[in-house]
Amino acid sequence: MITGYAVFEAGGELRPYEYDPGPLGSHQVEIAVEYCGLCHSDLSMINNDWGVSQYPFIPGHEAVGRIAATGDLVTQFAVGDIVGLGWQSGFCHTCECCMNGDHNLCYAVEETIVGRHGGFADRVRAEASSVIAIPAAIPMEQAGPLFCAGVTTFNPLMQHQLSPTARVAVIGIGGLGHLALQFLKAWGCEVTAFTSSPDKADEARRFGAHEIINSRDSAALKEAKNRFDLIISTVNVKLEWRRYIATLKPKGKLVLLGVLLEPLDINLIGQRAVMASEVGSPGTIKTMLEFAARHDILPQTEVMPMSEINQALGYLEAGKPRYRIVLQQNIADQQGVTPV
């Protein structure tokens, strides 16, 4: 049996829960979870903001731990290996996207907390091909957010073959934005941070921003016209997108990482483009982890006990973390389990 913390209705509290995962699949691994990052997407799934949640379910898609068991056909991992699991936990391996190495765009992708149970538990299972070994230079307690926030912000650099001399801006200096700044600085780019929180300016510079632009300053936005090759937006709220698009060079791109629930009000000229980004393939995750280890790039985290999951969710919903919450597993805390 696997024990964890499940939500039983939209917006409900998480409670101890137990389920029988059945036999381990031939291509699966079982991870004994030691840490699991808490992401805003977990909150969206708990609240059913996207209309795909099925209850009860155990959230958590930034799981880090050690391999506890391997399926009969798994050869790349051994019991005890330190690994991580992100938003996606299985692929068809036969569609056009998978065959081209874009597993994150798989037509039949399995998502770790959509229709299945995730990592706010003592163990979690996934297809071995979706699980990545963690370099020794990355501490386990800080690795979890790299499997979602990390790869989500790193993937545009790979997909758009970003030049190290590019001028890039980041909208939103939070859980994703503080990692985007670090990756871009290490990539060699000239980095600008758009933020509506002046108190984050010094931190943004520490993370890698060469310049700060107050996103509420219309004059400053106007002065940045035709400046950027790429803008990475990490927010999930409606903005005056035309103002930001005007700061792009011709052929520049605005990449949206946050899931927006409102239509975009845009007008594109000069071969500018607006596009979405979808986490990253297992290959990109591996590259991102190696890049992070080489350049000492880590999320800024606050560690809380897994047993305080509901307090942690309230803290996240209030927008207080600087910048990612990581939950530490303590199996002894799992009491009063609700059986399937």
Side-chain angles (χ1 to χ4, degrees), residues 167-170 173 181 185 189-195 200-201 204-205 208-214 220-221 223-224 227-228:
R167 292 178 173 172
V168 185
V170 177
I173 311 308
L181 294 177
K185 174 70 179 299
C189 300
E190 180 182 288
V191 189
T192 298
F194 284 116
T195 179
K200 289 186 177 180
R205 290 189 180 91
H210 298 100
E211 183 180 356
I212 311 295
I213 294 180
N214 186 335
L221 284 170
E223 288 177 11
R227 182 184 300 182
F228 303 114

Side-chain angles (χ1 to χ4, degrees), residues 7-316:
V7 61
F8 293 80
E9 60 185 359
E13 286 197 345
L14 275 76
R15 304 198 304 271
Y17 179 75
E18 181 178 83
Y19 71 97
D20 182 353
L24 185 67
S26 296
H27 294 279
Q28 288 187 320
V29 296
E30 185 169 278
I31 303 168
V33 179
E34 297 187 30
Y35 298 93
C36 192
L38 175 57
C39 176
H40 201 279
S41 296
D42 292 308
L43 188 59
S44 294
M45 285 294 296
I46 288 168
N47 294 333
N48 199 21
D49 291 339
W50 303 329
V52 297
S53 303
Q54 301 173 40
Y55 304 96
F57 84 96
I58 297 174
H61 60 277
E62 297 178 350
V64 170
R66 300 173 196 271
I67 297 290
T70 61
D72 294 341
L73 299 180
V74 174
T75 59
Q76 68 266 51
F77 294 117
V79 171
D81 287 351
I82 297 173
V83 298
L85 170 69
W87 180 257
Q88 298 177 334
S89 54
F91 316 99
C92 75
H93 299 289
T94 58
C95 71
E96 181 180 6
C97 293
C98 285
M99 296 300 285
N100 286 328
D102 295 321
H103 294 75
N104 55 309
L105 304 178
C106 173
Y107 299 157
V109 67
E110 183 177 78
E111 295 168 321
T112 300
I113 58 172
V114 179
R116 66 190 304 283
H117 296 301
F120 294 164
D122 59 352
R123 286 170 290 155
V124 66
R125 290 183 177 181
E127 184 181 293
S129 63
S130 66
V131 173
I132 310 296
I134 297 173
I138 298 178
M140 287 181 70
E141 65 270 20
Q142 289 177 282
L146 292 173
F147 281 82
C148 182
V151 70
T152 299
T153 53
F154 185 80
N155 193 47
L157 282 63
M158 299 280 289
Q159 294 301 316
H160 301 292
Q161 300 179 335
L162 192 65
S163 165
T165 60
R167 292 178 173 172
V168 185
V170 177
I171 301 173
I173 311 308
L176 276 73
H178 87 289
L179 283 166
L181 294 177
Q182 293 181 71
F183 284 130
L184 291 165
K185 174 70 179 299
W187 201 264
C189 300
E190 180 182 288
V191 189
T192 298
F194 284 116
T195 179
S196 59
S197 304
D199 62 317
K200 289 186 177 180
D202 288 341
E203 285 185 298
R205 290 189 180 91
R206 177 167 60 84
F207 290 129
H210 298 100
E211 183 180 356
I212 311 295
I213 294 180
N214 186 335
S215 55
R216 294 177 178 169
D217 186 340
S218 299
L221 284 170
K222 235 177 227 188
E223 288 177 11
K225 185 177 180 180
N226 296 325
R227 182 184 300 182
F228 303 114
D229 299 285
L230 184 76
I231 298 175
I232 296 175
S233 173
T234 69
V235 302
N236 61 356
V237 295
K238 185 176 182 179
L239 299 177
E240 294 184 70
W241 296 110
R242 295 188 185 195
R243 291 189 175 188
Y244 291 97
I245 290 170
T247 69
L248 288 170
K249 294 179 182 178
K251 297 187 179 182
K253 299 172 183 176
L254 168 61
V255 180
L256 304 175
L257 305 185
V259 179
L260 301 175
L261 301 180
E262 297 183 54
L264 293 174
D265 179 18
I266 60 175
N267 181 32
L268 296 176
I269 58 173
Q271 295 186 39
R272 296 172 178 88
V274 176
M275 58 197 65
S277 185
E278 183 75 16
V279 288
S281 69
T284 299
I285 295 174
K286 184 175 184 296
T287 300
M288 177 272 302
L289 290 172
E290 291 175 355
F291 188 82
R294 183 175 300 178
H295 294 281
D296 196 26
I297 294 171
L298 293 170
Q300 184 171 303
T301 58
E302 300 179 46
V303 179
M304 300 176 68
M306 185 82 72
S307 58
E308 295 180 9
I309 176 61
N310 290 301
Q311 296 93 313
L313 283 166
Y315 188 55
L316 174 64

Side-chain angles (χ1 to χ4, degrees), residues 200 302 312-325:
K200 289 186 177 180
E302 300 179 46
L313 283 166
Y315 188 55
L316 174 64
E317 197 163 18
K320 293 181 178 179
R322 289 275 180 99
Y323 283 90
R324 302 291 291 195
I325 298 172

